[in-house]
């Protein structure tokens, strides 16, 4: 009888623990707008959210945030717990609110990518020096490759975009590529992964797009957590383990990540130093 009571007590404890776990508030998982629209973006990253919920034994709610600045702010103000975000957005969130990167996404096995400038092959533009008096588009001001890195490059060349170009626009990466290939826009900033993906998907034609500048290697998108979660070392370790397992899981769950993304690798804040340095140099980030 005593043994039976002990078993009952143990079962009661386990039940209470399970109930407490089930009642944990869902983790809010914010993802940048990597796809052409929110609906497709949500559908693309839903499998990853479900995988994380299963691995972490905790509900995960996915939501697309349509600008890098917006995602950085939501991570900073507590609306978002976890985020897959562009490098510059991460650096902003880290600098302003103590968000911490836990892993970096891999693209074709690599944790780095390149910012680029593109034009139409018939534009007569061959280098950034040929852009004077032309129309030029940046991505939104929270974008690494679309804004920060090309802006930093222009600064090193003594170029003030607002005066150097006939017109400056700020828009989405996909729109920049499309308008350049159509000849509506003389040139614009983008990143190699987006251009490659749009060509592969038939959204633009390779023969209507020419790269005229490429940056040094830049750290890929960051998987970051809020300052509050970063203080929970056990949670961070569990999350890093779950993310490190994505690469192997892709063999049986190929929709966990979009095409060409091959997993995550553990990285810390120092990996994003080139982005931070560019932010400080351009005055977009203020030294503390």
């Amino acid at each position: 009888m005593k043994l039976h009571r002990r078993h009952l007590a143990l079962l009661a404890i386990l039940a209470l623990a399970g109930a407490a776990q089930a009642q944990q508030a869902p983790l809010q998982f914010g993802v940048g707008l990597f796809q052409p629209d929110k609906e497709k973006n949500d559908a693309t990253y839903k499998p990853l959210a479900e995988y994380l919920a299963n691995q972490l034994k905790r509900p995960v709610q996915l939501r697309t945030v349509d600008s890098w600045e917006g995602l950085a702010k939501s991570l900073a103000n507590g609306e978002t717990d976890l985020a897959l975000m562009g490098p510059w957005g991460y650096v902003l969130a880290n600098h302003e609110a103590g968000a911490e990167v836990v892993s970096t996404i891999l693209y074709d096995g690599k944790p780095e990518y390149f910012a680029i400038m593109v034009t139409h092959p018939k534009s007569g533009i061959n280098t950034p020096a040929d852009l004077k008096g032309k129309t030029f588009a940046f991505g939104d001001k929270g974008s690494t490759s679309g804004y920060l890195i090309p802006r930093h490059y222009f600064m090193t060349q003594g170029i003030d975009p607002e005066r150097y170009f006939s017109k400056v626009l700020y828009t989405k990466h996909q729109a920049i590529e499309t308008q350049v290939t159509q000849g509506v826009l003389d040139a614009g900033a983008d990143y190699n992964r987006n251009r490659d993906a749009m060509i592969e998907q038939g959204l633009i034609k390779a023969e209507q797009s020419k790269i005229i500048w490429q940056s040094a290697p830049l750290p890929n998108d960051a998987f970051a957590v809020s300052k509050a979660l970063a203080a929970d070392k056990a949670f961070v370790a569990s999350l890093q383990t779950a993310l490190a397992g994505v690469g192997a899981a892709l063999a049986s769950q190929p929709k966990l990540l979009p095409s060409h993304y091959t997993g995550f690798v553990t990285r810390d804040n120092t990996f994003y130093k080139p982005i931070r340095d560019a932010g400080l140099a351009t005055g977009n980030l203020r030294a503390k």
Side-chain angles (χ1 to χ4, degrees):
M1 182 64 71
K2 289 182 179 179
L3 187 61
H4 179 63
R5 286 176 179 172
R6 287 176 183 173
H7 281 170
L8 289 174
L10 179 58
L11 288 171
I13 291 171
L14 291 173
L16 287 171
Q21 186 181 68
Q23 290 172 5
Q24 281 186 301
L27 292 165
Q28 300 299 317
F29 178 27
V31 179
L33 189 61
F34 294 101
Q35 303 296 321
D37 57 65
K38 283 188 175 184
E39 185 176 345
K40 185 173 182 180
N41 210 73
D42 285 343
T44 298
Y45 291 97
K46 184 179 178 182
L48 179 61
E50 292 174 344
Y51 167 86
L52 291 173
N54 182 59
Q55 294 294 313
L56 299 172
K57 310 300 181 190
R58 184 169 173 181
V60 174
Q61 290 185 348
L62 172 72
R63 69 188 188 99
T64 290
V65 182
D66 62 5
S67 77
W68 299 120
E69 280 187 302
L71 185 52
K73 288 177 181 177
S74 73
L75 192 60
N77 65 26
E79 291 178 2
T80 298
D81 301 305
L82 317 173
L84 180 58
M85 61 199 311
W88 176 226
Y90 161 66
V91 168
L92 287 171
N94 169 260
H95 191 76
E96 300 299 330
E100 288 287 338
V101 62
V102 295
S103 298
T104 295
I105 202 165
L106 298 172
Y107 188 88
D108 287 339
K110 298 176 182 178
E112 296 172 316
Y113 75 113
F114 300 93
I116 58 175
M117 294 182 199
V118 294
T119 188
H120 194 288
K122 294 182 180 179
S123 67
I125 299 168
N126 297 304
T127 72
D130 300 326
L131 290 171
K132 188 173 183 179
K134 305 295 185 180
T135 57
F136 189 88
F138 291 101
D140 77 59
K141 293 184 178 181
S143 171
T144 309
S145 58
Y147 176 75
L148 177 68
I149 298 302
R151 193 95 187 188
H152 181 235
Y153 169 77
F154 286 135
M155 187 191 77
T156 66
Q157 303 303 303
I159 293 173
D160 178 354
E162 305 298 333
R163 296 182 178 182
Y164 195 74
F165 303 123
S166 61
K167 185 177 182 180
V168 178
L169 304 173
Y170 298 88
T171 187
K172 305 295 183 186
H173 286 279
Q174 291 88 353
I176 292 171
E177 290 286 355
T178 300
Q179 291 175 29
V180 163
T181 60
Q182 292 173 344
V184 175
L185 184 65
D186 290 322
D190 193 21
Y191 58 106
N192 65 310
R193 298 194 318 255
N194 182 61
R195 178 177 179 271
D196 292 346
M198 290 185 72
I199 291 171
E200 188 175 282
Q201 294 166 21
L203 298 174
I204 61 171
K205 294 181 179 180
E207 61 268 25
Q208 294 177 334
S209 172
K210 181 174 77 172
I211 297 173
I212 58 170
W213 176 83
Q214 179 173 287
S215 72
L218 303 170
N220 271 350
D221 304 312
F223 198 106
V225 298
S226 66
K227 182 178 181 179
L229 280 180
D232 187 340
K233 302 305 180 185
F235 174 82
V236 168
S238 296
L239 178 58
Q240 287 176 324
T241 298
L243 291 170
V246 168
L250 282 167
S252 58
Q253 302 175 66
K255 291 187 177 181
L256 272 181
L257 291 176
S259 177
H260 292 288
Y261 287 93
T262 51
F264 291 88
V265 62
T266 297
R267 287 289 186 270
D268 62 21
N269 201 37
T270 59
F271 190 54
Y272 291 83
K273 185 178 185 298
I275 311 301
R276 188 174 299 102
D277 289 346
L280 290 168
T282 57
N284 288 288
L285 206 63
R286 294 187 179 183
K288 290 186 175 181

